[in-house]
Amino acid sequence: MNPLEEYALSETRRQFFRRGGNAVGWAALAALLGREGRVLGGDVLAKPAAHVPPIPTHFAPKAKRVVYLHMVGGPSQMDLFDYKPKMDAMYDKDLPESIRNGQRLTTMTSGQARFPIAPSKYKFQQHGESGMWVSEMLPYTAKMVDDLCFIRSMHTEAINHEPAVSMLQTGNQITGRPCLGSWVSYGLGSLNEDLPTFVVLVARPTNTEQLQAISARLWSSGYLPGEHAGVSFRNAGDPILYINNPPGVPKEVRRNTLDGLRALNEMNLRQVGDPETRTRIEQYELAFRMQASVPELTDTSGEPESTYQLYGEDARKPGSFANSILLTRRLLERGVRFVQIYHNNWDHHANVGGRMPFQCRDVDQPCHGFIQDLKQRGMFDDTLVIWGGEFGRTIYSQGGLSHDNYGRDHHPRCFTMWMAGGGAKPGAVYGETDEFSYNIVKDPVHIHDFHATILHLLGYDHERFTYRYQGLDQKLTGVEPAHVIKALLA
C-alpha cells in the first residue's frame, strides 16, 4: 500500500462524510464549469477566466479593484476633518459628564484626575463645492475634496488597537476571520496570472515615535482557502522572501523541481481531496511566475520625472508611503485586485504637535497624486480607494496640555474615513458629531454598514455573499443587521 492510500484510509469519520457530502455538489459544479470551458484535463480545476468572477456578482459592480490605505493607530479626527471651533473657548475646561455619559475609557486615561479639553491647534478652512472643512495639515487633500466621500460618523465597539484593526479589517474583534481583501479575492478572483490577487505593503513612516504591531493575522484568509490570503511585499531587500532561486540553481532546475512537486500534489489531491493541496499547487506556480514579474514591477527607474512631481520626492525612497502608493498604481495596472497599505505611528497619546506634521506630510501629497494618476490613466471610476484608521481620538488631553501640544487617547465612538472612486459619491460629507467630536448626532455608520456598502460597490449583496464553514453560512458583515448606506453611493 502506498503512503497516499494509507493516508486516505486513516482519515477520520468526520473527514470522510464531509468529503462524501460534497460529491454531488462537486459533480454539479464540474458540469456548470465544463459548459463555460473552465475545467482543465484530469482532476484539477483550472482557474476561471480572469474577467469572470469565481462567485457571480448579484448586480453590476461599480468597482473592480480596491486600494485600502490604513492609518495604523487612529488619526485624530478633530485635528484633520471634524472641525470643532467652539472648543477654543473650552480650553482646559473639564469634559462635561453629560457628554461622556459614563462611556468606557482605556486604562491609559481612566485614572486621570480630570479630562481637560484640548482644542485642535491647527487652522481649518472649507474647500470645494462640498464645503468640507480640512485641516491646514492636509493642503493636497483639501484640493480634491470634491472627489472624496467623507464619513464623519464611523463608530466601533473596539477600544484597543488589535481588536479594533481586526474589527475594521475582518468584521470581528477576534482575529482569525478572513479580512476584506481575502473576501474580495474569494469573490472576484484574479485579473492577472503573474501576481497575487491581494497584496499588502507596510509603509515606513518618517517619524517612528510610537509604532503599533502589524502582523500577518490582519491579512489572513481565515476559513477561506489559503490562496486568498494577502501576500506581503517587503520594503527593503527582496520584495518577497525566498522567491528567487538559490545560488547555483538555474531556472530549468527549479522548473523540473516544481513539475515533480506538482505531480505529487495532484496525486495527493486525487486521493485525499484536500482543497489546501490545490492551493499549494497554485501558489508554487504563482511564485515561479513572480520571479519574472516582481522585479519588473518594483523597478521604478523607468517612471518619468512627472511621476515624482505628482507623488513627491519621497516616492524615490523604497518603503516610504509615497513609494508604496506608487507601487500600488503599478500593481493595479498589472491586474492586482486588492492592495492594502499600512502606515504606522498615528497613535497620538502625546506630542500631537510634534508628530502630526510628519504623519500628514507622509500621506497628503502621495494620496492626492495617486488619485490624479488614476484619473489620468482612466482607472479612477472603477477603483475604490479607502482611507482611515481603526478608531478616533478623544477631545480631552491625555497627559500634559498646552495650547501648542497635547495628547489624545483612543476613541471608538466617532471617527472620520473617506472613500474615492469606484462608485463612491464624490463631494459627499456624511454624518455629524456633537461639538466635542465625542458622540454621533446624525447618520451613524457602523463598521458592518461600511463593509456592506463596500461589497455593494463590488456587486455583492452582503447578505448573500457567504462561505460555508462549521455548518454556517459565514459573512463579512456577521449575524447582526447591517445596511448599505445609499447616501455614500454615486
Side-chain angles (χ1 to χ4, degrees), residues 1-8 19 42-44 259-274 277-278 280-281:
M1 183 180 297
N2 66 48
L4 286 176
E5 289 173 336
E6 254 186 81
Y7 179 77
R19 287 203 300 121
D43 297 309
V44 182
D259 288 343
L261 283 171
R262 183 184 182 105
L264 290 171
N265 282 325
E266 287 180 352
M267 188 186 306
N268 193 344
L269 181 59
R270 286 191 293 270
Q271 292 283 340
V272 181
D274 185 354
T277 306
R278 183 167 52 249
R280 189 178 304 121
I281 293 169

Side-chain angles (χ1 to χ4, degrees), residues 46-341:
K47 276 192 172 183
H51 63 283
V52 179
I55 309 300
T57 54
H58 302 125
F59 36 81
K62 297 291 183 67
K64 68 178 184 181
R65 59 183 83 84
V66 180
V67 176
Y68 198 135
L69 310 174
H70 187 92
M71 307 297 112
V72 182
S76 171
Q77 73 278 6
M78 71 284 294
D79 287 302
L80 298 178
F81 301 118
D82 203 11
Y83 183 43
K84 299 301 177 186
K86 291 184 179 179
M87 292 298 96
D88 291 342
M90 294 197 66
Y91 172 77
D92 202 25
K93 294 181 180 178
D94 287 341
L95 177 71
E97 180 57 35
S98 60
I99 298 299
R100 180 187 160 194
N101 200 25
Q103 292 169 11
R104 180 186 177 196
L105 305 179
T106 76
T107 55
M108 290 170 282
T109 56
S110 59
Q112 288 186 181
R114 54 190 298 262
F115 301 99
I117 298 294
S120 177
K121 64 170 286 186
Y122 302 110
K123 297 177 182 177
F124 279 73
Q125 283 188 334
Q126 285 181 290
H127 296 271
E129 293 183 9
S130 65
M132 177 64 189
W133 290 94
V134 180
S135 165
E136 63 182 328
M137 289 289 96
L138 297 171
Y140 283 90
T141 302
K143 295 178 184 179
M144 61 174 182
V145 290
D146 288 338
D147 290 324
L148 308 183
C149 176
F150 288 94
I151 311 169
R152 293 193 292 200
S153 53
M154 291 291 301
H155 64 100
T156 179
E157 292 82 17
I159 200 169
N160 289 313
H161 295 289
E162 184 80 3
V165 178
S166 178
M167 183 72 181
L168 195 59
Q169 300 299 334
T170 73
N172 198 296
Q173 294 188 50
I174 301 172
T175 57
R177 270 71 169 178
C179 66
L180 178 60
S182 295
W183 278 107
V184 173
S185 172
Y186 163 68
L188 294 178
S190 179
L191 286 168
N192 77 95
E193 289 296 324
D194 299 325
L195 289 167
T197 306
F198 172 21
V199 170
V200 176
L201 302 168
V202 180
R204 186 170 54 247
T206 301
N207 184 297
T208 57
E209 193 171 320
Q210 188 166 354
L211 301 181
Q212 294 300 318
I214 304 174
S215 71
R217 287 186 296 181
L218 298 176
W219 50 90
S220 163
S221 61
Y223 44 71
L224 295 177
E227 66 198 79
H228 301 299
V231 175
S232 177
F233 280 30
R234 302 195 309 156
N235 57 32
D238 289 339
I240 300 176
L241 285 173
Y242 312 120
I243 194 173
N244 293 317
N245 294 331
V249 178
K251 184 177 182 179
E252 294 75 16
V253 171
R254 172 58 65 91
R255 181 67 264 172
N256 288 337
T257 302
L258 290 177
D259 288 343
L261 283 171
R262 183 184 182 105
L264 290 171
N265 282 325
E266 287 180 352
M267 188 186 306
N268 193 344
L269 181 59
R270 286 191 293 270
Q271 292 283 340
V272 181
D274 185 354
E276 287 303 311
T277 306
R278 183 167 52 249
T279 296
R280 189 178 304 121
I281 293 169
E282 293 173 352
Q283 296 304 83
Y284 279 152
E285 293 299 320
L286 175 61
F288 183 76
R289 295 192 297 273
M290 285 169 63
Q291 288 184 339
S293 62
V294 168
E296 184 274 334
L297 161 74
T298 56
D299 180 9
T300 60
S301 60
E303 290 285 345
E305 191 62 28
S306 58
T307 295
Y308 300 102
Q309 293 172 2
L310 193 60
Y311 286 81
E313 282 300 305
D314 278 356
R316 302 183 193 274
K317 301 176 184 176
S320 67
F321 182 87
N323 181 259
S324 298
I325 204 166
L326 172 58
L327 286 180
T328 295
R329 188 263 285 163
R330 294 171 65 86
L331 286 162
L332 298 184
E333 286 181 309
R334 289 155 179 78
V336 172
R337 181 76 76 174
F338 194 106
V339 181
Q340 178 107 37
I341 301 180

Side-chain angles (χ1 to χ4, degrees), residues 378-446:
M379 300 172 66
F380 180 65
D381 289 343
D382 57 8
T383 301
L384 179 64
V385 184
I386 302 166
W387 188 101
E390 62 266 32
F391 41 52
R393 314 302 297 193
T394 57
I395 189 65
Y396 65 79
S397 180
Q398 176 176 345
L401 169 64
S402 72
H403 283 286
D404 292 326
N405 216 345
Y406 42 85
R408 300 195 189 279
D409 200 3
H410 308 167
H411 188 60
R413 303 291 297 180
C414 59
F415 58 105
T416 301
M417 297 183 70
W418 59 253
M419 301 189 293
K425 187 175 183 178
V429 182
Y430 187 82
E432 293 180 18
T433 61
D434 61 23
E435 291 301 334
F436 297 82
S437 191
Y438 206 90
N439 299 294
I440 296 167
V441 296
K442 182 181 179 183
D443 298 329
V445 179
H446 189 269

